[in-house]
Amino acid sequence: MKKCVCLQFLIPILSISAEVSPRRVDYSGYQLLAVDRPLDAKHISYLSDKVNFWSEPYDKTATFSVSPGYRSVVHSYLQNQSFPYALEIEDLEKVIDEELVQNFNEEQYFNNVHRSKRDTLWQIFAESLSNVTNFRRGRKITSGDLGFNDNHVSEAQFKEVIKMSSFMDWTHYHRIEVIYAWMDRLAAEHRDIVKLHKIGRTVEGRDILLIKIGVNTSPKKPGIFIEGGIHAREWISPASVTYLINELVLNPNLRDAIENFDFFVLPILNPDGYAYTHTTDRMWRKNRAQDSALLTTLTNCRGVDLNRNFGYKWGKVGLLENPQHGTSLPCLETYMGDSAFSERETQAVRNFILAHPRKFIGYVAFHSFGTKLMYPWSYANVKTHDWKELHNLAVHLAEGMFEASRGEDRYEVGTAGTIQYTATGGSDDWARGVADIKYVYLVELPGKGQGFLLPRQWIQHVGNTNVELIRRLSTAIANKL
Ligand code: 0X9
Ligand code: ZN
C-alpha cells in the first residue's frame, strides 16, 4: 500500500466551503491614521470609544482605524491638539477589495465552490486539471502519489488538491485551502525531507496542519518550532512563513540548517480565524470558538485571543488593567478564554511540543505589525536569567534582517515590556516557561504604514528577511551546541 500523505484533511474543508458564507463586514469609508507623537492617558481615553487601535496606543506611533461616523471629530481633535499625524489609508474597503480583485481566479474558484455540491466539484474543473501535468521534475503526477490508492482520497479530492495548489504563489495572499493543498503537494514531492502532521482540529472542523522539514531526522536531532497566523488578520505571517517553508525545502543555502535541525512549521495556527478573515471580516483577530463562560453566553460574543490562552502565568491580569494585557471580557479582541488552554488550537501546540520532550531548542512566532523582535518574558516587565544572551543573539538576527531587507527594515529588539506592551498567556512565554525551550523569539513583521493590510507586493521582501532570521538563528544555535 502506498504511504498516505494524508489528503483526507481536505474533506472537512471542502464540506465547509459548500456552506453559504455570511456577508462580508464592510469597511467602506473607514480610514487608517498614524499619530507620530506619543499619546497620553487623556488623549487615549478621549479616542478609545471613537477609534480602533491597531497598535499599542502608548507606542511612539499609534495606528488606529476610524469609522466614517467619527472621522471628522477625530481629525478635528488631532488638529486642535496639534498632533502630527498621517492619513495612511483613505478607505480600508478599497484596499480589501483590491486584494480580492488581484486574486480574481482564486476568488472565482471559491465562489463556485460555495455554490456547488461537494461531489460534483471535480466536474467543474476537470478541463483545467488537464493542464497540470509536470510539476514533479517533468513527470506527470498521479493520484497515487498523493495517497489516492489507499481509499482515503477520492479522485475528486485528488483533483481538488492539484487545482487548489496551483493557485499558490508569493505575490498574493491565499485562502487556507490553497495553502493546505500546496503543503500536501510539497510533501508528496519531497517525501525524503518533508512530513505533514495534523496536530489537531478546530471547532469548525479544519485541520491544524504542521509541516516537518529535516534531513535524516531522528529523535535526538534538535528541533526548531515556527508558528505563524495565530492572529487571523495578520496575513503577512502565513504568507511569509509559507515562503520560508518553500525555501527550507528548496534552497541549497538552507541545506545546513535542515541538516542540523528539524523544523516544525505551523503556518496557520488559527485556521478558523484565518478563513473568517477571507470570507467575512478582514479585521478579525481571535479564533471562532464560543465557550460556555457565563459572560460569553450572555453577550453571545465569539472568539478567544489564542496568544492570551497559553498556560504560563495565564490570567494574571487585574480587572482595571489595559485590556491589551489580556481580559476576561469575551467581546474584546484580547479575550483570554475561560481557562488556560481552553482552546483546541493552543491545546494542539501544547500537546505536540510536550509529546517531544527535550526536542526543541528554538521557538519563533511570527506576528504583524511593528518591525520588532522580542524575547521573554512578556507577562510582566521582567527578564530571564540569560536575557543578555537572548538579547545579543536578537541584535545579530536583527542585523541580518536589516541586510536582507536591503536596509529597509530596522527591527527594534527587547522584551515585550520594554518595546511593546506586556501580555499574559502568550505562546512565547509558555514555550520558554513550561516547555523549557531556550531560544524563544516573537517577531512583529513590518506594516509599512498599512498595518495588517500590508500590500501583497511586500510578501517576498518580508519572506526573505524571515529566511535570513532563521538561517542566522540556526547557525548561531548550531555553534553554541
Ligand atoms: O498582542 C500580541 O499578542 C502580540 N502583538 S500583536 O500586535 N501581533 O497582536 C505580541 C505582544 C507581545 N506579547 C507577547 N510577546 N506575548
Ligand atoms: Zn499578532
Side-chain angles (χ1 to χ4, degrees):
M1 191 176 83
K2 292 225 172 177
K3 206 162 144 246
C4 168
V5 195
C6 297
L7 219 65
Q8 57 275 37
F9 72 80
L10 279 166
I11 297 168
I13 295 172
L14 292 177
S15 55
I16 285 163
S17 303
E19 286 161 17
V20 177
S21 62
R23 280 169 70 94
R24 278 178 203 282
V25 175
D26 185 355
Y27 286 97
S28 294
Y30 279 67
Q31 293 182 334
L32 189 67
L33 307 183
V35 175
D36 256 336
R37 204 175 65 211
L39 301 166
D40 66 20
K42 193 173 69 132
H43 304 127
I44 293 169
S45 130
Y46 175 83
L47 289 170
S48 59
D49 60 344
K50 301 173 186 67
V51 308
N52 186 331
F53 284 102
W54 283 18
S55 66
E56 163 60 36
Y58 286 100
D59 237 355
K60 286 190 298 269
T61 305
T63 307
F64 48 84
S65 66
V66 52
S67 65
Y70 280 115
R71 248 172 19 198
S72 60
V73 310
V74 168
H75 280 274
S76 305
Y77 179 76
L78 295 174
Q79 280 155 14
N80 291 341
Q81 302 281 328
S82 308
F83 270 114
Y85 73 98
L87 174 59
E88 298 284 6
I89 300 180
E90 170 70 42
D91 187 335
L92 295 193
E93 190 59 33
K94 278 215 177 96
V95 177
I96 294 168
D97 288 348
E98 169 81 359
E99 176 61 36
L100 295 176
V101 169
Q102 291 305 326
N103 225 358
F104 180 75
N105 289 338
E106 188 172 311
E107 278 310 303
Q108 276 290 96
Y109 173 82
F110 281 98
N111 289 340
N112 285 335
V113 169
H114 287 308
R115 282 201 295 271
S116 35
K117 290 258 182 335
R118 191 179 119 207
D119 55 2
T120 58
L121 279 173
W122 70 275
Q123 289 172 336
I124 304 170
F125 302 106
E127 229 171 273
S128 50
L129 286 171
S130 58
N131 300 326
V132 183
T133 49
N134 61 349
F135 66 86
R136 204 175 180 191
R137 289 193 196 92
R139 185 170 76 74
K140 178 170 174 165
I141 196 162
T142 68
S143 51
D145 284 327
L146 293 176
F148 172 49
N149 290 347
D150 68 9
N151 289 335
H152 290 295
V153 181
S154 72
E155 180 83 32
Q157 285 153 1
F158 163 69
K159 287 180 173 174
E160 278 304 308
V161 173
I162 301 299
K163 174 66 190 172
M164 288 196 284
S165 68
S166 68
F167 287 120
M168 189 64 181
D169 62 24
W170 289 273
T171 50
H172 300 88
Y173 293 109
H174 295 286
R175 296 270 189 152
I176 186 170
E177 292 88 340
V178 170
I179 293 174
Y180 276 11
W182 167 77
M183 285 166 72
D184 207 15
R185 187 163 138 176
L186 194 70
E189 289 171 2
H190 301 275
R191 285 175 189 215
D192 47 340
I193 56 168
V194 175
K195 191 167 188 292
L196 295 182
H197 294 265
K198 294 192 288 181
I199 66 166
R201 182 167 284 194
T202 65
V203 289
E204 290 183 354
R206 292 184 181 83
D207 286 315
I208 303 168
L209 193 64
L210 175 143
I211 189 163
K212 176 183 175 188
I213 306 157
V215 178
N216 296 329
T217 106
S218 79
K220 285 242 168 78
K221 197 176 159 200
I224 296 179
F225 195 97
I226 296 171
E227 155 212 311
I230 195 170
H231 288 140
R233 62 193 174 187
E234 297 166 10
W235 280 9
I236 188 59
S237 170
S240 62
V241 169
T242 52
Y243 183 92
L244 172 67
I245 292 171
N246 202 43
E247 293 289 302
L248 282 170
V249 175
L250 297 173
N251 188 340
N253 292 335
L254 289 165
R255 187 74 189 183
D256 280 355
I258 61 172
E259 275 173 5
N260 292 329
F261 298 95
D262 286 339
F263 289 89
F264 296 78
V265 193
L266 179 54
I268 308 177
L269 193 152
N270 175 8
D272 291 349
Y274 184 72
Y276 192 70
T277 58
H278 285 261
T279 58
T280 314
D281 184 354
R282 176 65 183 84
M283 303 323 301
W284 190 257
R285 168 181 168 97
K286 302 184 279 183
N287 73 356
R288 293 292 301 155
Q290 198 166 36
D291 61 34
S292 55
L294 181 64
L295 267 180
T296 312
T297 314
L298 290 174
T299 58
N300 209 23
C301 285
R302 264 179 185 244
V304 171
D305 183 346
L306 299 173
N307 211 36
R308 300 291 179 277
N309 191 244
F310 280 77
Y312 183 73
K313 311 271 183 195
W314 177 89
K316 297 244 178 305
V317 280
L319 207 59
L320 297 176
E321 234 170 293
N322 182 348
Q324 296 268 36
H325 202 94
T327 170
S328 43
L329 300 175
C331 299
L332 299 191
E333 282 181 338
T334 47
Y335 176 46
M336 59 196 178
D338 205 15
S339 56
F341 289 118
S342 55
E343 301 311 296
R344 296 194 183 189
E345 298 85 347
T346 53
Q347 290 164 13
V349 173
R350 174 196 62 188
N351 295 346
F352 187 81
I353 289 183
L354 295 184
H356 298 80
R358 291 174 297 285
K359 172 88 182 169
F360 294 101
I361 181 84
Y363 189 107
V364 184
F366 285 97
H367 288 248
S368 82
F369 58 96
T371 328
K372 292 175 183 179
L373 180 56
M374 290 175 256
Y375 50 86
W377 302 105
S378 290
Y379 69 88
N381 221 330
V382 283
K383 290 187 159 80
T384 60
H385 67 87
D386 57 349
W387 73 271
K388 279 199 173 146
E389 186 189 350
L390 297 181
H391 182 90
N392 291 341
L393 179 50
V395 169
H396 172 70
L397 301 174
E399 277 167 9
M401 291 165 96
F402 181 69
E403 281 166 26
S405 71
R406 292 192 221 94
E408 271 266 350
D409 305 330
R410 207 179 283 281
Y411 278 78
E412 202 180 342
V413 166
T415 59
T418 52
I419 64 169
Q420 200 183 37
Y421 49 82
T422 57
T424 60
S427 60
D428 49 355
D429 275 5
W430 178 83
R432 176 65 196 235
V434 179
D436 204 21
I437 300 174
K438 164 111 178 148
Y439 298 100
V440 174
Y441 291 103
L442 183 145
V443 187
E444 293 284 6
L445 296 166
K448 303 279 174 200
Q450 316 227 25
F452 308 118
L453 297 175
L454 180 74
R456 63 199 175 86
Q457 287 80 359
W458 289 99
I459 296 172
Q460 292 179 22
H461 168 100
V462 175
N464 283 321
T465 65
N466 289 0
V467 167
E468 184 57 16
L469 162 72
I470 294 303
R471 203 189 58 75
R472 281 195 179 213
L473 179 67
S474 6
T475 310
I477 301 178
N479 289 340
K480 285 169 192 271
L481 286 177

